[in-house]
Amino acid sequence: MSRDKILAAVKKNEFTQTQLPDLEILTTLTDNPGDLTQQYITIASAGGSFVYEVADMEAIKTILHKEFKPDVKIISGIKEFDEYTYAGAVANELAHSFADVELTILQAGFGVAENGALWLTETQMNVRVLPFISQHLAVIISRGFLVPTMAQAYAKIGNTDYGYGAFISGPSKTADIEQSLVIGAHGPRSLSVFILP
Amino acid sequence: MSNSTTKSHAELAAAFNKDEPRVDWHDETLWWVRAKRDIAAHKLPEWELLRETASQIKNNVLSNLSSYLEQFEANALKNGLVVHWAADAAEHNQIIHKLLADRGINRMVKSKSMLTEECHLNEYLKEHGVDVIDSDLGERIVQLANEPPSHIVLPCIHKKKEEIGDIFHEHLGSAKGESDPKILTETARQHLREVFLTRRAALTGVNFAIAETGEFVICTNEGNADMGAHLAEIHIASMGLEKIIPERKHLGVFLRLLTRSATGQPITTYSSHFKKPQDGREIHIVIVDNGRSIQLGREDFRNSLKCIRCGACMNTCPVYRKSGGHSYHTAIAGPIGSILAPNLDMKKYADLPFASTLCGSCSNVCPVKINIHDQLYKWRQVIVKEGYSPTAKTIAMKAMAFTLSSPALYRTGGKVGRWVFKHAPFAVNNQQNPWFKHREMPKAPEQSFGEWYSKRKEEKK
Amino acid sequence: MKVALFVPCYVDQFYPGAAIATLQLLEKLGVDVHYPKNQTCCGQPMANSGYEHLTTGCNNLFVDNFSGYDYIVCPSGSCTLHIKEHLHSPEKEEQAIEIRKRVYELTEFLVDVLKVENLQANFPYKVGLHNSCHGLRGLKISQMSELVAPAFSKPAHLLNMVQGLELVQLGRQDDCCGFGGTFCVAEEAVSSKMGKDRVEDHIEHGAEYITSADLSCLMHMEGILRRQNSNVKVIHVAEILNHSSHE
């Protein structure tokens, strides 16, 4: 069995035990009390996201109405948006059936100020492929749900159980051709982030 | 077969340097990426502590690797993943082929995985009737060009957009002469979307595998790994056994370093955590050794296994920038590739540790603090001792060592040396005068410092 | 303070001017300088080529020549680093350890040991400072551009004391010149291209002289400058620090 052979070979060649470092110093050093919303907006915008500070759900609807025609396929993970197909209701459909989705609207667990990333688990996505296959993605988050860095982000995630989770920090992009940045590689062509009070 | 025909780094680099404007372009592009890395790093005052912490975590991983692997396996199994073990490239390829064959699958989509390049998986599967399409844009481009990637993060950094336009025109039907990156990317998007939607199997790499939770993380900007994995019936993830990290919270260190080091972005667009399969789907992990356990046993070289594949050492390396990734004739180019490759085949890659000036910039940008340039120096010693150095060089070195061990010989040799210098090339190899090709010889002075000093001493008396 | 002057083999043979300047400069600063006359080479050319095991003879000779001094000073970062990292002598390891601790590159000796704060020197030219990799990343005589750490430069600190001298800013402050010992012949194409690009950076920014704490880099760049029939010259940092037109 290769398994046992490999493990034995590895074990044989391991060396003096070294301790894991303390992460506490880094967490403390980066626990920034500054204006996380402003930092988030600056960094997410630089990464190609459109960030809106909005007063309420109604304000989000108004923006979405302006940006998306009524006849396109829109899926929403938020129950209040009753004019759109509720993601929970179609979660059992074949992933491929979402190929023509124009916009997906989802709620994020929290956001990270240092890099513009939003944490979503499968529960919030309803269907894993949704935030990727959709032509556009909109994510809603509350102001109080921002952390300074990835150190605090993983403290927040802790040992949560999930089947799948992802940090999403912007629209899908590539710079593979001569390092020139192109938005809209395989996933969403845009990411709109709505920050609620 | 390929062993005897492989040209050395020096020969391939000389060929690359025949087109100087292209060398300049390649150098500038990569230096720009290095500059972006510097800006990103300098935004974090805790950067050096972050590197040190990452390095210590990886040291701990390497010193407990077997137990972390077992812990990861146990947790992954609990999560409903299937775990396979491959001792070498051949076994890795066979495992994957069998997974596909058992399900009657003959087409697969694959996102970036340097391990599959190392194992030559695409060629193997092709021989066995399985069509593989690489979905990372850069990898798709080199795949269509029938070339290997020249950089682990920027696979087609050696290609100009006009060349990519020609490839896309030929294979994907884009307009002739079209070279706008936006339009070419859109062409690839349409082409690959169809691929994602029609492939029953998807293969991905693994950036980090977490022992504590049995999950693994994949980082992409394009979203191609997720598109493939979430749409396929079976997701196969290939990982080198050194990809383990102990706990989930350690991602809070590595994800802060990885992309800042690689491209200067604060994080990739997607950092996807795969823990359990979707209902009715399968996730298989193939854990690959392929020489890694041997490298672990090489005291001077084991910490090369700390590498998180950011590519920063390539971007900063002046030799890489001015010789191109293909001149390294191995899957992983640049400084890190040059310390990994000799472990696999010392004879074939005997040239690589010498493809460096030992300038040390690689070690300074490395986010996990691998002492890359020290290891290059040490590999040189090993390669010479194992007898993979040219005989002529050994003879020259012995003569040099002999002369320099004797003050008397040195003084005579010096005079002759300065005289010879006026007429003959510099340094050990004087058959073809490589110094003189692009450089003048130093002017030989009338007297050495030693001679001047003796005279002064006489005069003072 | 008894100081031994360590003059690397190629400096002794091809750039005696730099060694003379080093000696005169140290003497001007009141240092009692000795030149152990049986010295040859630090062994680096063999070691960097993978033949460190052939350097025992060189090492023993080095230990014989340089034991018993308070400091050993060398006008070359590269050779200094080699001694610091690789000088071993099976029979006289204790002496080798002492030497490894006491060996200094010239500019670090001037700044860290002599704590020089002013110099009677003038050099009315625009000068580009080339950071040699071994001086920079090995001996850390300047801050490295890759690190997130406060900037400093021992050679620049000294050069700034020289009247009339103007240091030019470079596009890439510490990219390698491509010399690399036998690399310069084994990898001739990349080596000379690296040298060419480094020289170009200095010329583009108006340097009339290129200086460095390492002559091997300067020898490489000089080879390229002279091939280009350039007016730009190379000069070892000791020659600038020792330069006074009032003499």
Side-chain angles (χ1 to χ4, degrees):
Chain A
M1 270 284 284
S2 287
R3 177 191 183 275
D4 299 340
K5 230 172 58 195
I6 293 167
L7 285 171
V10 168
K11 203 171 177 58
K12 194 184 92 202
N13 288 334
E14 280 167 5
F15 48 104
T16 334
Q17 296 262 321
T18 73
Q19 295 303 304
L20 277 171
D22 184 3
L23 301 192
E24 214 36 58
I25 312 161
L26 276 170
T27 311
T28 314
L29 275 177
T30 54
D31 211 353
N32 171 355
D35 184 350
L36 295 180
T37 311
Q38 208 42 57
Q39 271 184 52
Y40 180 88
I41 294 172
T42 308
I43 294 187
S45 307
S49 301
F50 300 110
V51 188
Y52 304 88
E53 282 188 276
V54 290
D56 51 24
M57 286 289 194
E58 279 311 307
I60 301 175
K61 282 186 193 170
T62 311
I63 294 167
L64 291 176
H65 286 155
K66 216 171 81 189
E67 297 292 326
F68 293 91
K69 291 180 205 139
D71 56 343
V72 296
K73 188 163 166 184
I74 298 178
I75 293 191
S76 149
I78 291 122
K79 275 216 162 122
E80 288 95 316
F81 290 170
D82 50 11
E83 63 191 292
Y84 308 129
T85 309
Y86 179 53
V90 293
N92 292 325
E93 283 182 23
L94 188 68
H96 297 69
S97 66
F98 302 105
D100 57 347
V101 173
E102 186 67 12
L103 171 69
T104 294
I105 310 158
L106 299 170
Q107 181 101 38
F110 63 88
V112 187
E114 72 160 333
N115 56 25
L118 302 155
W119 173 250
L120 290 93
T121 62
E122 193 167 19
T123 315
Q124 286 141 341
M125 296 174 185
N126 294 282
V127 182
R128 284 186 198 185
V129 82
L130 259 183
F132 299 94
I133 202 167
S134 193
Q135 294 291 331
H136 299 271
L137 179 64
V139 177
I140 300 171
I141 185 170
S142 294
R143 189 177 263 273
F145 288 78
L146 289 173
V147 296
T149 75
M150 296 301 279
Q152 293 77 21
Y154 279 100
K156 210 170 168 95
I157 294 173
N159 53 11
T160 320
D161 192 26
Y162 48 72
Y164 170 82
F167 282 103
I168 299 178
S169 67
S172 155
K173 55 174 164 277
T174 181
D176 274 348
I177 302 177
E178 287 199 7
Q179 275 294 290
S180 107
L181 180 69
V182 180
I183 303 282
H186 306 299
R189 299 173 190 274
S190 76
L191 171 64
S192 303
V193 183
F194 296 102
I195 305 181
L196 286 166
Chain B
M1 169 193 71
S2 61
N3 281 22
S4 54
T5 54
T6 304
K7 286 187 174 150
S8 71
H9 180 274
E11 291 169 288
L12 294 163
F16 186 76
N17 271 271
K18 289 217 167 94
D19 184 352
E20 194 175 359
R22 196 182 186 95
V23 177
D24 290 335
W25 166 80
H26 190 262
D27 173 73
E28 288 289 342
T29 311
L30 287 151
W31 182 260
W32 186 61
V33 183
R34 151 84 204 268
K36 288 196 293 178
R37 171 256 172 223
D38 287 357
I39 293 167
H42 281 270
K43 278 184 186 155
L44 302 190
E46 71 276 17
W47 181 256
E48 301 302 333
L49 176 62
L50 204 52
R51 287 176 69 219
E52 179 57 32
T53 308
S55 166
Q56 288 179 22
I57 297 170
K58 283 285 186 175
N59 283 338
N60 172 271
V61 168
L62 296 183
S63 69
N64 297 281
L65 191 53
S66 63
S67 47
Y68 284 138
L69 281 165
E70 286 176 294
Q71 191 191 356
F72 172 74
E73 181 191 39
N75 287 319
L77 292 173
K78 261 187 246 165
N79 294 334
L81 312 186
V82 185
V83 180
H84 308 260
W85 299 78
D88 53 24
E91 190 174 6
H92 165 263
N93 296 347
Q94 285 155 15
I95 289 169
I96 288 163
H97 180 235
K98 185 166 188 316
L99 286 171
L100 299 175
D102 286 352
R103 289 158 185 78
I105 295 172
N106 60 7
R107 298 191 303 172
M108 181 171 80
V109 64
K110 173 170 143 282
S111 72
K112 179 106 65 38
S113 153
M114 288 315 297
L115 177 60
T116 60
E117 295 290 338
E118 177 187 318
C119 296
H120 301 287
L121 175 71
N122 282 17
E123 294 90 319
Y124 177 88
L125 289 179
K126 197 176 173 187
E127 281 165 26
H128 290 77
V130 179
D131 173 69
V132 180
I133 288 186
D134 284 315
S135 63
D136 172 82
L137 177 60
E139 293 229 314
R140 184 66 183 134
I141 291 165
V142 290
Q143 187 182 31
L144 289 172
N146 207 12
E147 289 173 17
S150 67
H151 186 293
I152 61 174
V153 174
L154 319 162
C156 69
I157 197 69
H158 61 292
K159 284 233 173 296
K160 297 209 174 195
K161 57 182 193 231
E162 292 77 15
E163 294 162 339
I164 297 167
D166 289 345
I167 294 166
F168 276 27
H169 171 67
E170 186 189 338
H171 295 277
L172 306 179
S174 61
K176 195 171 169 59
E178 183 56 68
S179 66
D180 181 346
K182 271 191 190 148
I183 295 171
L184 296 177
T185 302
E186 183 63 28
T187 305
R189 179 186 172 97
Q190 299 304 335
H191 154 65
L192 286 164
R193 189 157 265 258
E194 190 273 330
V195 172
F196 291 128
L197 287 165
T198 52
R199 295 306 185 266
R200 292 167 54 205
L203 190 138
T204 68
V206 168
N207 288 93
F208 303 98
I210 300 137
E212 175 196 37
T213 59
E215 73 194 296
F216 60 91
V217 174
I218 304 172
C219 305
T220 76
N221 279 321
E222 299 179 9
N224 57 314
D226 289 280
M227 281 291 274
H230 302 326
L231 288 167
E233 292 161 30
I234 174 171
H235 169 191
I236 306 165
S238 290
M239 62 174 264
L241 52 76
E242 80 282 19
K243 292 285 169 185
I244 295 273
I245 59 171
E247 297 168 43
R248 192 186 262 169
K249 70 176 182 200
H250 294 136
L251 289 168
V253 173
F254 292 108
L255 293 187
R256 299 189 74 204
L257 284 165
L258 177 63
T259 325
R260 285 185 174 96
S261 299
T263 61
Q265 291 170 264
I267 192 169
T268 44
T269 305
Y270 305 105
S271 310
S272 305
H273 303 49
F274 292 83
K275 192 156 182 265
K276 299 170 188 170
Q278 304 180 79
D279 283 344
R281 315 278 184 89
E282 301 171 66
I283 298 180
H284 294 253
I285 301 169
V286 188
I287 301 174
V288 184
D289 182 344
N290 203 36
R292 286 163 176 75
S293 60
I294 298 170
Q295 185 87 325
L296 189 65
R298 297 185 197 269
E299 197 183 340
D300 286 339
F301 307 112
R302 61 167 52 121
N303 90 23
S304 60
L305 296 172
K306 287 156 74 180
C307 178
I308 57 171
R309 302 290 191 265
C310 71
C313 62
M314 304 180 179
N315 306 336
T316 201
C317 177
V319 177
Y320 176 88
R321 280 187 265 115
K322 292 176 210 284
S323 66
H326 288 156
S327 62
Y328 292 81
H329 59 89
T330 173
I332 297 175
I336 184 68
S338 300
I339 60 172
L340 291 173
N343 176 53
L344 287 172
D345 188 340
M346 221 180 284
K347 184 167 181 245
K348 188 174 173 188
Y349 302 119
D351 56 328
L352 295 185
F354 294 91
S356 162
T357 60
L358 305 180
C359 83
S361 187
C362 46
S363 304
N364 276 351
V365 294
C366 178
V368 291
K369 297 179 87 165
I370 301 170
N371 56 338
I372 303 176
H373 73 294
D374 291 335
Q375 294 192 34
L376 288 166
Y377 176 88
K378 286 174 178 162
W379 267 122
R380 293 180 183 188
Q381 314 305 323
V382 173
I383 284 163
V384 166
K385 278 197 181 152
E386 299 282 331
Y388 297 117
S389 179
T391 318
K393 192 171 158 189
T394 303
I395 292 167
M397 284 294 159
K398 281 186 177 160
M400 191 189 234
F402 186 68
T403 309
L404 293 172
S405 305
S406 152
L409 269 179
Y410 168 74
R411 279 193 285 268
T412 343
K415 273 181 195 151
V416 175
R418 284 198 310 282
W419 179 84
V420 165
F421 226 149
K422 287 180 183 167
H423 309 278
F426 173 75
V428 218
N429 173 3
N430 63 0
Q431 283 167 353
Q432 290 160 326
N433 201 356
W435 171 278
F436 193 67
K437 212 167 160 187
H438 293 103
R439 296 161 289 213
E440 294 294 321
M441 307 301 156
K443 284 179 191 155
E446 290 308 313
Q447 56 185 356
S448 72
F449 174 77
E451 288 159 355
W452 174 88
Y453 187 83
S454 305
K455 270 186 211 157
R456 188 180 87 148
K457 229 176 168 179
E458 286 302 311
E459 284 162 17
K460 273 190 177 173
K461 272 180 188 168
Chain C
M1 188 194 295
K2 212 173 141 196
V3 168
L5 181 63
F6 161 31
V7 177
C9 51
Y10 69 98
V11 177
D12 174 48
Q13 294 298 322
F14 302 114
Y15 294 95
I20 294 168
T22 304
L23 176 71
Q24 290 176 341
L25 179 63
L26 289 169
E27 285 178 343
K28 257 194 241 176
L29 292 164
V31 180
D32 177 20
V33 189
H34 299 250
Y35 175 70
K37 72 175 175 50
N38 281 337
Q39 58 179 292
T40 60
C41 171
C42 64
Q44 185 176 208
M46 285 87 79
N48 279 7
S49 304
Y51 294 82
E52 194 181 332
H53 61 283
L54 296 181
T55 60
T56 317
C58 267
N59 283 347
N60 288 335
L61 188 61
F62 198 93
V63 171
D64 289 344
N65 273 298
F66 290 98
S67 288
Y69 292 96
D70 296 320
Y71 297 100
I72 296 131
V73 178
C74 171
S76 158
S78 192
C79 306
T80 306
L81 180 69
H82 184 77
I83 291 300
K84 241 185 201 340
E85 291 189 338
H86 300 287
L87 183 75
H88 291 286
S89 175
E91 301 109 65
K92 303 164 208 165
E93 189 58 23
E94 287 201 356
Q95 283 166 270
I97 291 169
E98 277 306 308
I99 290 174
R100 295 208 301 270
K101 275 193 280 192
R102 290 162 192 267
V103 67
Y104 279 79
E105 179 279 324
L106 175 66
T107 64
E108 65 174 346
F109 182 74
L110 296 178
V111 172
D112 295 346
V113 179
L114 295 186
K115 304 197 189 302
V116 170
E117 284 303 334
N118 55 72
L119 280 167
Q120 299 300 316
N122 63 45
F123 196 71
Y125 300 100
K126 286 184 166 183
V127 174
L129 172 61
H130 171 74
N131 281 299
S132 90
C133 298
H134 287 169
L136 178 79
R137 299 191 187 87
L139 298 172
K140 303 179 173 49
I141 64 173
S142 304
Q143 188 54 274
M144 303 154 263
S145 65
E146 300 92 0
L147 300 189
V148 178
F152 68 88
S153 167
K154 291 171 194 175
H157 177 65
L158 294 165
L159 288 167
N160 282 326
M161 295 173 196
V162 176
Q163 247 181 30
L165 183 146
E166 186 192 331
L167 274 179
V168 301
Q169 290 297 312
L170 299 174
R172 299 183 187 179
Q173 70 177 68
D174 53 17
D175 215 11
C176 176
C177 77
F179 174 68
T182 47
F183 180 87
C184 75
V185 283
E187 288 265 5
E188 178 276 322
V190 181
S191 171
S192 46
K193 177 62 179 154
M194 283 167 70
K196 209 174 148 186
D197 290 355
R198 210 74 306 277
V199 159
E200 186 54 36
D201 194 0
H202 288 267
I203 295 175
E204 220 175 79
H205 290 86
E208 296 163 274
Y209 282 87
I210 301 176
T211 193
S212 173
D214 246 310
L215 262 164
S216 49
C217 314
L218 292 178
M219 172 168 75
H220 188 221
M221 291 191 278
E222 183 185 43
I224 286 162
L225 287 165
R226 285 185 38 226
R227 175 61 56 89
Q228 294 173 351
N229 291 316
S230 171
N231 293 325
V232 176
K233 294 183 183 67
V234 301
I235 183 167
H236 188 268
V237 69
E239 293 174 278
I240 295 180
L241 301 178
N242 189 48
H243 187 269
S244 169
S245 52
H246 306 305
E247 274 176 345

